[in-house]
Each structure stands twice: as structure tokens, then as C-alpha cells.
Amino acid sequence: MQFLIKSSVGKKLIMAITGQLMFLFIVFHLIGNTSLYFSWINTYAKHLHDLWPLVWIVRFVMITLLSLHLVFGIQLTLENRSAKPDAYAIKKSLRATFASKNMIWTGLIIAGFLLYHLLHFTFQVVHPEMSAKLNTDVMGLPDLFSMIVFGFQNFFILSLYIASLIALTLHLVHGLQSSFQTMGLNTDQTQPVIAKAGVIASLILLIGYASIPVVIFIGIVKG
Amino acid sequence: MNLTLYVWRQKNADDRGRLEQYEAHGISPEMSFLEMLDIVNEDLIKKATEPIAFDHDCREGICGSCSQVINGVPHGQEEKTSVCQLHMRHFKDGDAIYIEPWRARAFPVIKDLIVDRSALDRIIQAGGYISSHTGGVPDANSILIPKDDAEKAMDAAECIGCGACVAACPNGSAMLFAAAKVSHLAMLPQGQVEAARRVRVMTEEMMKQGFGNCTNHYECQAACPKGIKVSFIAKLNREFIKTLGRSGKISSSVDRMADTLPSE
Ligand code: HEM
Ligand code: FES
């Protein structure tokens, strides 16, 4: 175990495994969020919170994954920077992309966003007056639906979410295919297919997640 | 044709270094890039200026000495071509050409365009070999090796250790270099015996030498004059994964190996 966190490939494997598990989480999170379109979200949230031991297990696992990913991501980046102290006067990128060269920045944007996102919808301190802890719907359930709709009617909050989603998309465009290479789960034949599938999956997530605040902002879903 | 060169000049490892401008006159398209530099150097010598120091040996694309980043690409724009095999017909009259040394912490500049690449040798010394006695030349086909494996092993063995992968990598990682050797030996029966130890010590040595980690930019494959593929890095990763959970066994096999080695 100690060897794993000390070695270069070991650290990369931790990045790849934690990254893929977090990817799975955001896939399920999106499926859950679509309940907003069917106005089920308050009931969905209630069912989820009735399973509170499960919710806490998932929260604990996610915090662990995120911390590992964050710590090793920063450490790897620092090591890599120090291995290349002098820049070229001219350097052409042959295969590296904007996404691959900015993993640490897109990653840190995601981290900052997560903090805000939790304050907004989990701890509900961004708009305390709209907190679902205070307001209930006609069924007497905490009114998440109104809280969400109110939040996304604000252009600043909308832009923040969209910008963060773009950062996440870039992170995954490089990260998903990269994680297969890191784990050695590819061949010369499958790698181009994996790379394409990764881009498509990232774009589906972008469209899926972005649709909710956009649809609210332009007023298709109303409070 | 006439060209304008911007060449990195640095007296020694301690000098800060800078780009200097030179004119190259009367360059013919059939010259190699190194021959073009030879002409420029003769000019400089006539003007009693210190000639540009650059590394070269075979001049036929097999030794891996010629190490120059030309217009932002290690070994220049042409694919699968070393600097010595790059011909001036790929440039046109009036071109400006930037020539810089490999840049990485593990490759300190010795002078001008020459860097110290011995860190790569130390990665090989750590484990890029087999330690069994191979005896005399074996009879053909006395050890059966599937054709696919033999070919892949040969593809990996094509690495000439030039360091272009490190020069191209934004992280200054030598993972493609290490992966070529790990894969080459792991695909052959003679190499499989020490495969577990090899992948660990070689990647460890790579970090000790000050190279970076691989983040899968794939710049290395694009810059490699021999077209070594990043799928060998995936192979190295698989070899590494196979060793997980057997630390004890690996170190004891290393000790045993040391015991059986002939003493000097
Ligand atoms: C806390 C915020 C985050 C930071 C600071 C961060 C940082 C990084 C960095 C620096 C890398 C490149 C590591 C390397 O190749 O050496 C990386 C890779 C990766 N990240 Fe993140 N990341 C974050 C959040 C996420 C999230 C939320 C996901 C998934 C939904 C994710 C998925 C991935 C994947 C799949 C990889 C590729 C791993 C590989 O190359 O093998 N990251 N991350
Ligand atoms: S001088 Fe030997 S490879 Fe170029």
C-alpha cells in the first residue's frame, strides 16, 4: 500500500480510480436531477433522505475520493512542474490539448464550485430566505423545487454553474480516456474508440446538467 | 537558400544562456540539418566566433545523439525523423528557424545545444536488463516466441534513447522511454523472470532522476523519431498493476538475484 502512494504509476492509478468513481457518481446524480422535469424532485429528495444511512455512506465515500484525487492531483502537478523548470522559446503541441494541459485548473474550478454548490443546495446558506428547510410545498415536504428554480432565475448563479460545467467537461474530455490508459485497459485498436466515447459521455453530461438551469432561466420551468 | 537561425547559446551549466541570431548562407536542399549547422559553424570559425556546440554521432538516425528542438518540435516537424535525417528541402529560402536544446530538469545543459542525457542510462542501469547468463548464441527457435510478441518486442526495442519524448513532454517525463524497455523485456521469456522488479525499480529511478509523471498528453509518441507508441505506457501500467500486493516477494527475489550475480 505504501508503495502505491509513493510510486509514480501508483499515484496515477489512484487518480484514475477515484476519477472514474466520481464520474459514476455524477452520472447517477444527473439521473436523480432529471426528476425536477417531472416535478418529482421533492418526493425524490424525501425518498433519498429516508435512506439516510446510505446517503451518509455515499457522502463519506465521495469526500474520501475527492480528497485523494485533490491531494494527489496537486502533488503530481507540482512534481511535473518542477521536472520542467525552463520553458522553450517556441513549443508546438503535437498531441497535447487545452484540456490535457489545464487539468489542475479545471480540477480546482470543480473543487471551488463544489464548495459553492454544497453551500447553495445542501447547507442552503446562499439564499437563506429560500431554504427548503424553511419552506414546504403543498404536501408538506421541504420545497427543494422552488429553491432550485429561484436560484437559477439569477443570472450570476446561472453563469457560475455553466462555467463550472464547462470546466468539468474539459476535465473529463481528457480525463476519461486518460484513466483507461493509466489502468492499461486499452489497446491500439480500442484507444480511439475509448477517446471518442469519453468525449461523447462528457458532452452528454454537459448538456444534461446545463439543461436544468437554462430551462429554468428562460422560464420553461416556473416556480 | 538563405536562412535566419535563432540558436540557444549557453557557455556551461551555470551560464543563463540566450538565443542568438545567425545567418545561414548558400544552404542546399539536399543537406541534412546537421550539415547546415556545419556550414554555419565554419562561417563562425572564420569570424573567430565560438562555433555552436551540438551533439551528433552516427548521422544515420540510429544513435540518438542529435538532440535539438527545431521550431518547437524535438527533431523538427518531420514525423519519425531524427535531426541528422532531417533534410533542408523541408525548409524554404528566408525561413526563420529556432534551435533549442532538450529542456527538462533531468537533462542539464552542458553547452549550447548539448544536454547531459545520462539520467536515461541510470534508468536502464536500475533494471533495464536481464541478469541471467544467456550463454553462447542459442540455436534458432530453441525458445519459442509467438510472432506477435516477437514483433511487438522489436517495436519497443527500436527506442534509440534520444530523449525526444522527455523534451516533448510538458511534464519532462521519461515514461515512454521506460515503457519501451519494460515492454520489450516483458514480452520475451528471458525478460519475464524479472518483470515485476524491473517495472518498479525503473519507474522509481525515473522519479529519482528528476523526470516528471506521465499525464497522458501523448506528445512523446508524436515526437519519437522511431514511432514508439504510448500503448507501451499502457503495457507498463499493466505490468505495474500485476506487481501490486507482492512487495515482499519482489524484494526477496531481488536479494536472491544479487547473491547469484558473479562478483567482479
Ligand atoms: C477536487 C477537484 C479536482 C481536482 C483538483 C482534480 C485534478 C486533477 C488532475 C491534476 C488530474 C491529472 C492527474 C494526472 O494525470 O497526473 C486529474 C485527472 C482526472 N480527474 Fe480530476 N480533479 C478534480 C475533480 C475531478 C472530478 C469531480 C472528476 C470526475 C467526475 C475527475 C475526474 C478525473 C479523471 C477521470 C482523471 C484522469 C485520471 C488519469 O489520468 O488517469 N476529477 N484531476
Ligand atoms: S546523429 Fe545518430 S541519430 Fe542523429
Side-chain angles (χ1 to χ4, degrees), chain A residues 11-24 26 62 66-67 69-74 76-77 80 100 102-112 114 168 171-172 174-183 205, chain B residues 171 213-216:
Chain A
K11 281 184 268 197
K12 283 283 307 183
L13 282 169
I14 293 172
M15 289 306 283
I17 294 165
T18 53
Q20 286 198 353
L21 290 173
M22 288 191 291
F23 170 75
L24 277 185
I26 60 171
M62 286 308 293
L66 197 73
S67 316
H69 194 85
L70 184 85
V71 168
F72 285 110
I74 292 173
L76 285 163
T77 307
N80 296 345
S100 77
N102 290 288
M103 289 301 276
I104 189 64
W105 302 118
T106 48
L108 289 175
I109 292 172
I110 298 170
L114 284 177
L168 176 68
H171 202 78
L172 292 178
H174 174 72
L176 286 177
Q177 59 79 28
S178 174
S179 63
F180 281 85
Q181 165 85 356
T182 302
M183 298 197 214
L205 284 181
Chain B
N171 313 329
N213 304 284
C214 173
T215 61
N216 304 328

Side-chain angles (χ1 to χ4, degrees), chain A residues 110-129:
Chain A
I110 298 170
F113 166 77
L114 284 177
L115 206 65
Y116 179 83
H117 186 53
L118 292 177
L119 290 175
H120 188 185
F121 287 143
T122 308
F123 301 111
Q124 304 173 4
V125 296
V126 174
H127 294 290
E129 75 283 5

Side-chain angles (χ1 to χ4, degrees), chain B residues 20-162:
Chain B
E20 298 248 356
Q21 184 181 339
Y22 300 100
E23 303 300 324
H25 297 292
I27 302 302
S28 78
E30 52 273 12
M31 282 178 187
S32 75
F33 201 82
L34 297 186
E35 283 160 348
M36 182 275 291
L37 284 178
D38 291 336
I39 305 265
V40 172
N41 272 347
E42 275 176 29
D43 247 23
L44 291 179
I45 292 167
K46 272 184 217 148
K47 289 186 204 151
T49 311
E50 177 91 6
I52 301 160
F54 61 90
D55 227 348
H56 62 104
D57 187 24
C58 69
R59 296 209 178 195
E60 55 185 14
I62 54 173
C63 76
S65 312
C66 49
S67 41
Q68 300 172 21
V69 174
I70 301 168
N71 285 341
V73 182
H75 294 296
Q77 278 285 355
E78 291 307 300
E79 263 179 43
K80 297 193 196 172
T81 309
S82 56
V83 179
C84 56
Q85 294 296 297
L86 176 65
H87 288 87
M88 296 313 294
R89 59 175 171 269
H90 298 297
F91 297 88
K92 20 176 233 307
D93 187 46
D95 274 359
I97 306 177
Y98 283 78
I99 312 175
E100 298 178 69
W102 283 177
R103 293 203 185 281
R105 180 153 71 101
F107 288 166
V109 172
I110 297 173
K111 187 174 183 183
D112 297 344
L113 301 173
I114 303 180
V115 300
D116 179 358
R117 290 175 298 132
S118 58
L120 293 182
D121 299 337
R122 289 188 284 278
I123 296 177
I124 295 292
Q125 281 160 7
Y129 54 84
I130 59 169
S131 60
S132 56
H133 301 285
T134 49
V137 180
D139 286 337
N141 298 332
S142 60
I143 302 172
L144 296 179
I145 299 167
K147 177 149 172 59
D148 273 358
D149 292 356
E151 300 228 321
K152 280 226 176 78
M154 272 308 288
D155 288 347
E158 259 199 272
C159 171
I160 54 176
C162 66

